[in-house]
Amino acid sequence: MALRWYSIVIDSHDPHALARWWGETLAWPVVFEADDEVVIAPPFAEEVARSVPRDRQPQGWVFVPVPEGKTVKNRLHVDLAPAPDDAHQEAVDALVARGATLADVGQADAPWVVLADPEGNEFCVLTPRE
């Protein structure tokens, strides 16, 4: 029996704000919102929903509230990449202007940049690629 990916759940202090931050970062809309849960999904999710049975559809990223703060480096992280014609540093600068911070996870002089979202979750901004 094969399992299928359903969602990625992100613990947060303010799931509404963090979901909106990531939604803006990825250009993904909020597709569900309640007091204790906010879901963002890629824009093509509606198209997939028309062609894939509901029980086989991935749900996107789910943000939920937790009382405790983040204490260690994430064991799972997101890699983002600018499009081939976009400038790497401009993408990094735009994220920092919106609330991301530079993070040091031991990457030394790697060609990618490690940032943390407004709640401290690390992610990488790779060099431009397809």
Side-chain angles (χ1 to χ4, degrees), residues 59-110:
Q59 298 301 304
W61 290 12
V62 180
F63 296 81
V64 298
V66 295
E68 66 276 354
K70 181 177 174 301
T71 58
V72 298
K73 177 183 167 291
N74 291 358
R75 296 288 303 262
L76 175 72
H77 70 270
V78 174
D79 284 347
L80 304 178
D85 295 332
D86 292 340
H88 184 245
Q89 190 59 50
E90 286 178 19
V92 170
D93 292 345
L95 289 162
V96 169
R98 293 187 35 251
T101 55
L102 291 170
D104 183 357
V105 296
Q107 68 270 25
D109 58 351

Side-chain angles (χ1 to χ4, degrees), residues 23-49:
E24 184 177 327
T25 297
L26 299 169
W28 289 10
V30 171
V31 296
F32 176 80
E33 190 163 8
D35 289 342
D36 62 347
E37 178 179 274
V38 182
V39 181
I40 63 172
F44 59 80
E46 271 189 40
E47 188 175 314
V48 169

